[in-house]
Amino acid sequence: MNYKDLFAEIAVQAAQIENLGEVAAYIPELQRVDPLKFGIHLTTLENENFGVGDYQEKFSIQSIAKVLSLTLAFDLEDDKLWRRVDVEPSGTPFNSLVQLEYEKGIPRNPLINAGALVICDILVSRLKNPKREFIEFVRKIAGNQAINYCQRTADSEKSTGYKNAALINLMKSYGNIHNDIDVVLDFYFHLCSIEMSCQELSQHFLFLAAGGINPLNNEKVISASKSKRINAIMQLCGFYDEAGEFSFRVGLPGKSGVGGGIVAIHPGQYSVAVWSPKLNQKGNSYKGMKILEFFTTRSESSIF
Ligand code: DON
């Protein structure tokens, strides 16, 4: 595939797609972003790199970080993990409370907020200094020391995080949160506040395209079997109640965040990240999804 020509086409296409949707407002800090920002970056297993637009600018990766917390927790817990969180698509919004009561505090999957909070609880139990050890784990994946939490975003989310507080309290009542609620929430808000650029994201997530080893620095992040399973979870759960639509239109395992970022993986080929802050009604980047659909259609590189 001639990605260079395709990325020139993407630049034209991105300017033509209407910038519909709304920037996330329920986390006040996220509203400060320029809604016209747009970037995309592709990294292949051979370390070819292609970018368009604001691909070097850092933004709040939000729920994309849930894939990294899942990766560390799965590595530490092995299959014990699945006693506390399931691997089924939810078909409900990312912050929904409704299934949790029916299912007695066991979240549908680790990528909805409830599931990510359970993963955070597990990491708080397993790590001595969760925030420090987690960011060190993230930095090591791609040998990138420039990755950090954004304290302003974490504080901002804490000031309005009522739904997450409700979710964690409900799960605590069912015995599926073992640590102090405020400690787990604080870790979760920090996790979501991590900032990366599209370039950093695509280079970072390459380990999931390469059987758990980042080919850029030979860092073994996770086993091949676990890497395969994380991709499977992203395919079915990465876009909440829009996972079917993303699968249908883009055809790759992927994960979105309310900062407007999306990362998608083609196992054996590449990792691609896109950023456009305006979100559709399901909380996923409007233009980001359109551009990824254009990208996999023109490159004929959906996994199906
Ligand atoms: O917990 C929240 O609501 C945010 N920190 C993360 C949500 C998110 O990114 C959903 N993804 N599209």
Side-chain angles (χ1 to χ4, degrees):
M1 179 71 217
N2 186 338
Y3 288 123
K4 193 162 173 275
D5 290 352
L6 179 52
F7 267 64
E9 274 187 62
I10 285 177
V12 175
Q13 191 70 15
Q16 282 171 1
I17 295 171
E18 256 189 297
N19 196 18
L20 299 180
E22 300 290 336
V23 172
Y26 73 101
I27 301 174
E29 187 64 23
L30 295 183
Q31 265 192 304
R32 290 159 47 105
V33 72
D34 176 355
L36 299 178
K37 291 286 178 190
F38 172 80
I40 180 167
H41 192 270
L42 171 82
T43 306
T44 68
L45 287 196
E46 293 75 34
N47 197 17
E48 299 164 293
N49 289 276
F50 305 89
V52 160
D54 305 306
Y55 68 90
Q56 288 175 313
E57 189 166 327
K58 285 180 188 278
F59 59 92
S60 192
I61 72 168
Q62 291 294 322
S63 288
I64 297 173
K66 293 172 182 170
V67 179
L68 302 174
S69 49
L70 167 63
T71 300
L72 181 55
F74 196 9
D75 194 38
L76 294 170
E77 294 280 297
D78 299 320
D79 283 341
K80 284 202 305 293
L81 190 65
W82 312 121
R83 294 183 198 153
R84 299 202 33 206
V85 57
D86 210 341
V87 293
E88 294 298 336
S90 65
T92 53
F94 60 89
N95 54 6
S96 172
L97 281 143
V98 292
Q99 284 164 341
L100 263 186
E101 187 178 10
Y102 289 123
E103 297 173 2
K104 305 210 167 7
I106 304 291
R108 276 281 168 123
N109 65 68
L111 300 182
I112 51 173
N113 287 14
L117 287 163
V118 167
I119 297 287
C120 284
D121 184 59
I122 290 168
L123 291 177
V124 167
S125 296
R126 296 286 303 228
L127 306 176
K128 271 204 188 78
N129 185 333
K131 281 191 273 189
R132 201 187 63 221
E133 287 172 53
F134 183 71
I135 203 72
E136 276 167 7
F137 165 75
V138 172
R139 287 172 180 156
K140 201 164 157 224
I141 291 176
N144 183 344
Q145 296 301 312
I147 293 169
N148 217 339
Y149 303 117
C150 172
Q151 193 61 47
R152 271 202 324 274
T153 306
D155 290 345
S156 177
E157 181 161 13
K158 191 175 186 174
S159 72
T160 57
Y162 307 116
K163 271 270 178 77
N164 286 316
L167 287 165
I168 200 168
N169 274 284
L170 189 55
M171 291 189 290
K172 183 98 177 165
S173 78
Y174 285 107
N176 200 18
I177 294 291
H178 299 171
N179 297 282
D180 182 84
I181 279 174
D182 290 334
V183 172
V184 180
L185 275 179
D186 179 65
F187 180 49
Y188 172 81
F189 294 142
H190 276 82
L191 167 84
C192 293
S193 80
I194 290 176
E195 296 186 327
M196 288 196 215
S197 65
C198 290
Q199 184 171 28
E200 287 171 330
L201 273 172
S202 71
Q203 292 175 349
H204 222 84
F205 278 77
L206 209 54
F207 74 95
L208 290 172
I213 298 172
N214 188 338
L216 303 183
N217 60 355
N218 282 327
E219 177 72 26
K220 181 173 181 214
V221 184
I222 203 161
S223 71
S225 158
K226 285 177 175 154
S227 167
K228 174 186 75 179
R229 293 184 196 289
I230 292 168
N231 278 313
I233 293 171
M234 282 202 287
Q235 186 73 40
L236 291 175
C237 316
F239 288 75
Y240 318 109
D241 45 344
E242 205 170 28
E245 187 80 6
F246 189 79
S247 222
F248 184 75
R249 301 207 171 275
V250 178
L252 297 174
K255 182 75 206 83
S256 64
V258 288
I262 299 176
V263 70
I265 313 294
H266 191 127
Q269 291 193 24
Y270 61 73
S271 159
V272 61
V274 61
W275 173 45
S276 172
K278 285 195 175 186
L279 310 178
N280 65 21
Q281 294 202 331
K282 306 275 169 102
N284 301 313
S285 171
Y286 175 83
K287 199 185 248 196
M289 280 183 63
K290 293 262 182 240
I291 281 293
L292 286 178
E293 178 179 3
F294 179 79
F295 170 72
T296 55
T297 304
R298 291 283 291 105
S299 59
E300 297 180 10
S301 68
S302 127
I303 61 168
F304 298 107

